[in-house]
Amino acid sequence: MNIAVVCWQELNYLKQMARIRYRDGFPVPRGYEGITLFPFGIYIRLRWRHNKVLINHEKIHWQQQKECLCIFFYILYGAMYLINLVKYRNHSDAYRNIPFEREANRHECNMSYLAKRPKFNWIRWKIV
């Protein structure tokens, strides 16, 4: 195989990967185990660093944020949260029913999900 092709494939692979950082405190909000902040990385609390399900959950969010060009992810996420907050009248239900969270929660245990995940798959998880 041509060395240029190998280098190009490796570069594309690196672009797909999220940098995972393990730390307590900022930027992980109190009450959460991890947070994904595209393009900066995935942040996981130290005590959860070996939890493959949580890491997979956050990697799903990484893909969602890339698809939505980051800014649109945050706009949609916030809008859906507010709609759900009016509907459910509590933070927990509003948060869990955001389509981005529903997709990530549904597939977080499937470690091969990201390899076969259709783009924009979160769209099928409508607000209920």
Side-chain angles (χ1 to χ4, degrees):
M1 189 181 292
N2 185 333
I3 190 73
V5 172
V6 172
C7 290
W8 180 255
Q9 289 173 344
E10 184 67 20
L11 181 62
N12 282 338
Y13 176 73
L14 291 173
K15 285 181 183 177
Q16 298 293 323
M17 290 177 41
R19 182 164 180 199
I20 301 174
R21 298 180 176 132
Y22 303 100
R23 62 167 39 142
D24 289 326
F26 183 80
V28 182
R30 185 172 297 196
Y32 293 87
E33 292 83 28
I35 189 168
T36 301
L37 298 171
F38 186 87
F40 305 107
I42 294 173
Y43 298 87
I44 306 287
R45 290 202 184 278
L46 287 171
R47 69 180 176 272
W48 293 91
R49 69 183 170 274
H50 300 297
N51 188 317
K52 294 186 184 315
V53 172
L54 173 62
I55 293 168
N56 195 45
H57 178 100
E58 295 302 333
K59 285 181 177 181
I60 293 169
H61 285 317
W62 182 266
Q63 290 300 117
Q64 293 168 340
Q65 291 179 18
K66 277 183 17 183
E67 290 168 355
C68 294
L69 305 175
C70 189
I71 189 68
F72 296 112
F73 174 87
Y74 294 114
I75 291 169
L76 288 169
Y77 195 100
M80 289 185 241
Y81 174 78
L82 291 174
I83 290 167
N84 284 343
L85 195 57
V86 168
K87 183 175 185 175
Y88 295 108
R89 300 187 189 276
N90 73 66
H91 164 74
S92 181
D93 289 341
Y95 169 75
R96 279 189 324 226
N97 283 294
I98 296 169
F100 296 115
E101 292 298 334
R102 292 182 68 205
E103 179 193 9
N105 287 333
R106 172 69 172 85
H107 299 287
E108 66 189 5
C109 293
N110 181 352
M111 298 304 154
S112 62
Y113 175 67
L114 283 171
K116 61 184 180 196
R117 177 185 177 268
K119 288 189 182 240
F120 297 99
N121 198 40
W122 57 269
I123 291 173
R124 69 184 287 248
W125 302 96
K126 65 181 181 176
I127 296 177
V128 292

